[in-house]
Amino acid sequence: MATHTAELPSGTLVYEDTGGEGPVLVLLHGLLMDASLWTGVVEELSADHRCVVPVLPLGAHTLAMPEDADLSPRGLTRLVAQFLDHLGLADVTLVGNDTGGALVQLMLGGLDDRVGAVVLVSCDAYDNFPPGLTGRTVVLMGKLPPALFGAFMQQLRLKPARRLPIAFGRLTKRGDAVTAAWLRPVLKLPPVRRDTVKVLRGISAHRTALTEAAARLPAFDRPALVVWAKDDRVMPPEHGRRLAEALPSGRLVEVPDSYTLVPLDQPAVLARAIREFTHA
């Protein structure tokens, strides 16, 4: 997969693009993650899909945003819209996991014509924003100055700390090596810490954003797939069922033996569900 940069009004994004023919998938990752969340899924789907994966400024990015960038939930949604415009993409299938799924829901609130279909994969929804003990802990730490936030995050260099419920322990069953790599930018790069704190403070200030977005979901009448981990301990499985029911064309697929990060724990199962959905 080729790596590129996109110069956008809000800042510069790094992104990966397989190119090729077939349905266009734009895959959004979550907080303290990068495009590698989707590597296994893209390997499964790239033969008959074009997969585009931006690295959003959510804490595992290496290219910091301008100091005045709006990194609130709405600002991040605007950044995704700018990215789609930059690539001239229309009628895409927008896929989001974890915080990426929250951004997808916020995109739907505006009935964005660039979005032809959506896939929500175990993600923040309704009042679960920030989600679970993991999300609430990190957002609370975002109240610290960036330097102190970085000091707090240093403990996650150790695997036992990463596997705690307040870190990645309830997000993935199998992906610890990937999560260790995700933490390097926020541990080493002060501008990335600054961006991350700004994102966390934006979430804290807009805790009702997804409750408000949920009220607009019934207006999205385009194809929608909800994929949820049966064993999810951060994103309530009930929310997956509610989302599928709220979306007029929604359909639910439940995935066994996985936590929230289904792209890491069950990439082949997720890819199969997406392929069946886009080819239906």
Side-chain angles (χ1 to χ4, degrees), residues 128-184:
N128 192 36
F129 186 64
L133 179 62
T134 304
R136 290 193 297 271
T137 301
V138 176
V139 168
L140 179 63
M141 292 302 102
K143 297 181 182 295
L144 296 171
L148 290 179
F149 175 76
F152 167 79
M153 295 296 290
Q154 288 293 331
Q155 63 187 311
L156 300 185
R157 297 171 62 184
L158 303 175
K159 182 174 180 177
R162 288 194 302 274
R163 300 307 300 159
L164 290 173
I166 63 170
F168 290 98
R170 291 182 177 175
L171 289 175
T172 176
K173 291 186 173 186
R174 304 176 180 87
D176 180 69
V178 179
T179 64
W182 289 342
L183 292 168
R184 289 173 193 146

Side-chain angles (χ1 to χ4, degrees), residues 189-235:
L189 303 175
V192 170
R193 285 197 290 274
R194 179 201 67 210
D195 287 353
T196 308
V197 166
K198 189 184 291 188
V199 169
L200 295 173
R201 292 176 180 177
I203 292 173
S204 182
H206 298 85
R207 289 174 181 262
T208 62
L210 294 187
T211 303
E212 295 164 7
R216 297 187 290 270
L217 293 181
F220 186 80
D221 59 357
R222 301 162 206 168
L225 175 67
V226 179
V227 182
W228 220 265
K230 282 186 178 180
D231 300 335
D232 207 315
R233 302 175 67 185
V234 177
M235 313 297 181

Side-chain angles (χ1 to χ4, degrees), residues 2 20 41 49 68 93 144-145 153 161 168-169 179 221 259 266:
V41 176
H49 294 76
D68 62 350
T93 296
L144 296 171
M153 295 296 290
F168 290 98
T179 64
D221 59 357
Y259 285 164
Q266 293 287 2

Side-chain angles (χ1 to χ4, degrees), residues 24-85:
V24 179
L25 305 175
V26 177
L27 303 113
L28 306 183
H29 60 78
L31 187 66
L32 295 173
M33 304 172 200
D34 66 14
S36 63
L37 171 70
W38 297 104
T39 298
V41 176
V42 169
E43 288 174 352
E44 296 279 345
L45 292 175
S46 59
D48 54 353
H49 294 76
R50 178 184 174 187
C51 300
V52 182
V53 192
V55 179
L56 301 173
L58 295 177
H61 57 301
T62 55
L63 196 60
M65 301 295 284
E67 288 194 35
D68 62 350
D70 180 1
L71 300 182
S72 68
R74 291 292 177 188
L76 292 167
T77 304
R78 190 179 309 114
L79 185 66
V80 174
Q82 292 172 3
F83 177 69
L84 298 180
D85 281 343

